[in-house]
Amino acid sequence: NAGVMQNPRHLVRRRGQEARLRCSPMKGHSHVYWYRQLPEEGLKFMVYLQKENIIDESGMPKERFSAEFPKEGPSILRIQQVVRGDSAAYFCASSPPGTSRQYFGPGTRLTVT
Amino acid sequence: TQLLEQSPQFLSIQEGENLTVYCNSSSVFSSLQWYRQEPGEGPVLLVTVVTGGEVKKLKRLTFQFGDARKDSSLHITAAQPGDTGLYLCAGALGNTDKLIFGTGTRLQVFP
């Protein structure tokens, strides 16, 4: 049973470009969470999604950030017009229904130049 | 803002020693999870505790959830160099179970 998959593992973008981060949850998991880890800071919750629904986006910046979890395919975290402050490690976690256990992927390290 | 304070922040010990890491908050959590994170990798789930007062053991690691579900501890017996890493506690909040992460404890075990 493969773990949570994230790609790419490393992403370099110039200021103003778009970044797309993908997350495939573990088999049988229908809940996806995105977290961000800024340099020298802890992990911070961004958004919680179930298939085709955003359940809690209280941690998402108001502008430029969006997330989706379509019926088919991976969850996508999209950052438009990236700025240097978006440079961070972005982690996705998945959870089976009925449990609070969250299993993390290896992360995508975004560098904005 | 919910905060989870971990202590100590850094810990350097010799192989064979025992240690305890504490995780404290003023918030009540529906569950609490402990993770270990290696550089460049995602957090790896060690344990989830759900019930106040619950104690779980994983080989030489003992996890306890406080009676009021606001705090937790991780005790390692006879630490080994392989235990070196960043230990994170994370409390699950509300109906969504979003995790609030602790500030982390960086453990170094010397042979």
Side-chain angles (χ1 to χ4, degrees), chain B residues 66-93:
Chain B
D67 290 340
R69 306 207 317 274
K70 292 181 179 181
D71 53 83
S72 181
S73 63
L74 157 60
H75 182 79
I76 301 179
T77 303
Q80 298 176 2
D83 295 328
T84 294
L86 177 66
Y87 289 83
L88 298 165
C89 63
L93 276 177

Side-chain angles (χ1 to χ4, degrees), chain A residues 36-44 85-90:
Chain A
R36 177 165 67 172
Q37 190 171 37
L38 292 165
E40 305 305 320
E41 290 189 23
L43 283 133
K44 297 281 195 294
D86 297 331
S87 295
Y90 291 82

Side-chain angles (χ1 to χ4, degrees), chain B residues 18-77:
Chain B
N18 301 332
L19 67 115
T20 302
V21 176
Y22 299 93
C23 178
N24 295 293
S25 176
S26 57
S27 300
V28 177
F29 297 106
S30 54
S31 68
L32 193 135
Q33 307 181 47
W34 284 92
Y35 292 86
R36 184 172 139 183
Q37 186 177 21
E38 303 293 339
E41 298 295 331
V44 175
L45 180 63
L46 298 175
V47 79
T48 300
V49 284
V50 178
T51 308
E54 183 177 1
V55 177
K56 279 193 175 176
K57 292 198 173 196
L58 188 68
K59 296 183 181 178
R60 293 176 294 100
L61 277 60
T62 302
F63 304 87
Q64 183 160 9
F65 201 11
D67 290 340
R69 306 207 317 274
K70 292 181 179 181
D71 53 83
S72 181
S73 63
L74 157 60
H75 182 79
I76 301 179
T77 303

Side-chain angles (χ1 to χ4, degrees), chain A residues 20-106:
Chain A
R20 280 193 179 208
L21 288 62
R22 293 175 185 76
C23 168
S24 296
M26 288 176 72
K27 189 176 180 181
H29 289 194
S30 55
H31 300 195
V32 166
Y33 299 80
W34 285 92
Y35 295 84
R36 177 165 67 172
Q37 190 171 37
L38 292 165
E40 305 305 320
E41 290 189 23
L43 283 133
K44 297 281 195 294
F45 168 78
M46 298 182 75
V47 62
Y48 163 45
L49 309 104
Q50 294 178 15
K51 285 283 187 182
E52 299 184 282
N53 283 305
I54 297 174
I55 307 301
D56 182 345
E57 55 182 345
S58 58
M60 288 277 269
K62 294 284 185 283
E63 297 175 348
R64 304 187 296 107
F65 284 72
S66 62
E68 62 178 11
F69 190 14
K71 190 176 179 181
E72 302 289 338
S75 175
I76 307 282
L77 179 67
R78 184 183 291 111
I79 311 172
Q80 295 177 300
Q81 299 176 324
V82 295
V83 300
R84 288 231 172 96
D86 297 331
S87 295
Y90 291 82
F91 292 98
C92 162
S94 74
S95 175
T99 171
S100 58
R101 290 193 305 273
Q102 293 182 28
Y103 298 87
F104 281 77

